[in-house]
Amino acid sequence: MVLSILQGARILATGSAVPDLCIKNEELSQIVNTSNEWIVNRTGIKERRILNNKDESIITLASLASIKALKNASMKPSDIDLIILATSSPNDLFGSAAQVQAKIGANRAVAFDLTAACSGFVLSIITAAQFIQNGSYNNILIVGADVLSKWIDWSDRSTCILFGDGAGAVIMQSCAKEDNGILGFQLNTNGKEAHQLSIPYKKNEINNKKNDLLNINQGQFEHLYMNGKEVYKFAVSQVPISILKCLKSLNILPENIQWLLLHQANERILHAVANRLSITSNKIISNLNKYGNTSAASIPIALDEALKDKKIKKDDIIVISGFGAGLTWGTVVIQWKCS
């Protein structure tokens, strides 16, 4: 979709944070029947960061990433108008964005959570762009953060090897229309396949003979479940279609983009998508080997590291795609407008 805008929006700065605890593949092989070679060959992951300090939470990571982004933008927390926290593992079932707002001292900001799992950061970028481009807000903090380690069954080899914890943040700011950096987007959902990747809720029946009003269903969330084969097929088939649709609407050819930044789920997915688009591997931004799948945090962490490494230059066109639970997937095309 090509955007009709009153004013431009651009990403001004980034920041990221990961836990101190690093778990390497060799250590996981002592817990489940696996090996470093098996994990690397099938996923590209060598290690991941896990939150294990009882005094830290997703709020800790999200706030630290946010503070770094604010510092890199030379902005104060009070400059922020809106905070969007993309997460599927909040500190509170009612949401955690407000806690981040309080933690960093962004007292003027409205704050809300956006839940779309691994697509959450892409959806948040698009949502923030709408608020800015229609003139509602000027400075928006977008945070992608997840701590899925608390929902993992660490005896399940099919999932425990994949996921890590982390947070990434960006500051999006209004600008002149000619400096607009959020060029267009394309989004999809297929709820019929939601069961392929989920953290299901299991009901436990309560039989209270004294009071029929209390014969209600209560329960708890189970561990993360993923049908790896189906999720792989979904990603490599649908993500290239989404990217091509978005690029076509903008009259941009795949060969004319500088960077491809995909949700960091599996190295085979990254290269399969690039191959279907005839995009060379040297244009893929990836840090999957160090962090594993950090869900909504994966794209902003990778973007932050690419900027730190000075890979991205002014006016570079970056195709960003997220995909995962829902099933949801989407693409946003940005042009980097900062020097």
Side-chain angles (χ1 to χ4, degrees), residues 300-312:
I301 291 174
L303 178 62
D304 183 50
E305 291 198 342
L307 288 165
K308 287 178 180 175
D309 293 339
K310 302 188 184 305
K311 290 182 178 180
I312 298 171

Side-chain angles (χ1 to χ4, degrees), residues 22-54:
C22 177
I23 298 181
K24 298 181 181 296
N25 291 344
E26 291 85 355
E27 295 171 274
L28 277 183
S29 67
Q30 299 173 26
I31 301 172
V32 292
N33 182 22
T34 188
S35 68
N36 177 61
E37 293 73 23
W38 192 92
I39 297 172
V40 171
N41 289 338
R42 286 162 177 78
T43 70
I45 300 168
K46 295 181 179 179
E47 58 191 43
R48 71 284 297 143
R49 300 298 184 95
I50 301 297
L51 197 65
N52 77 327
N53 187 327
K54 65 179 181 179

Side-chain angles (χ1 to χ4, degrees), residues 54-71:
K54 65 179 181 179
D55 296 324
E56 296 182 334
S57 69
I58 192 172
I59 308 301
T60 311
L61 295 176
S63 299
L64 183 55
S66 299
I67 291 168
K68 289 180 179 179
L70 286 165
K71 183 179 179 180

Side-chain angles (χ1 to χ4, degrees), residues 167-312:
V170 304
I171 306 292
M172 189 182 291
Q173 188 175 67
S174 61
C175 60
K177 288 176 70 172
E178 56 268 25
D179 293 325
N180 178 58
I182 313 300
L183 305 183
F185 66 91
Q186 203 278 332
L187 297 172
N188 294 93
T189 300
N190 180 7
K192 292 181 179 180
E193 297 298 319
H195 60 282
Q196 305 291 3
L197 177 52
S198 66
I199 301 176
Y201 184 78
K202 182 180 180 181
K203 295 178 180 179
N204 297 326
E205 289 190 9
I206 296 176
N207 186 12
N208 190 321
K209 295 180 180 180
K210 292 183 179 181
N211 191 337
D212 288 340
L213 290 175
L214 295 181
N215 286 332
I216 57 178
N217 287 321
Q218 291 185 318
Q220 63 279 322
F221 289 101
E222 299 184 321
H223 290 120
L224 185 150
Y225 167 80
M226 184 175 71
N227 184 333
K229 290 183 179 179
E230 290 303 315
V231 171
Y232 177 86
K233 288 193 294 184
F234 143 69
V236 300
S237 63
Q238 296 303 317
V239 173
I241 294 172
S242 173
I243 291 172
L244 288 172
K245 281 183 178 179
C246 195
L247 289 175
K248 184 177 181 181
S249 71
L250 297 168
N251 294 314
I252 298 173
L253 297 173
E255 57 263 35
N256 291 333
I257 72 168
Q258 278 70 51
W259 299 105
L260 177 63
L261 175 50
L262 304 178
H263 163 54
Q264 306 289 293
N266 183 305
E267 192 174 69
R268 292 188 299 160
I269 293 177
L270 305 187
H271 288 283
V273 171
N275 287 338
R276 294 199 177 199
L277 298 169
S278 298
I279 292 174
T280 56
S281 60
N282 64 327
K283 291 185 175 183
I284 299 173
I285 294 175
S286 177
N287 60 3
L288 179 71
N289 63 321
K290 295 189 292 182
Y291 304 118
N293 181 343
T294 55
S295 192
S298 77
I299 290 172
I301 291 174
L303 178 62
D304 183 50
E305 291 198 342
L307 288 165
K308 287 178 180 175
D309 293 339
K310 302 188 184 305
K311 290 182 178 180
I312 298 171

Side-chain angles (χ1 to χ4, degrees), residues 100-122:
V100 174
Q101 182 242 36
K103 180 80 170 177
I104 67 173
N107 300 322
R108 290 184 52 254
V110 179
F112 64 82
D113 289 41
L114 190 154
T115 302
C118 305
S119 301
F121 186 76
V122 169

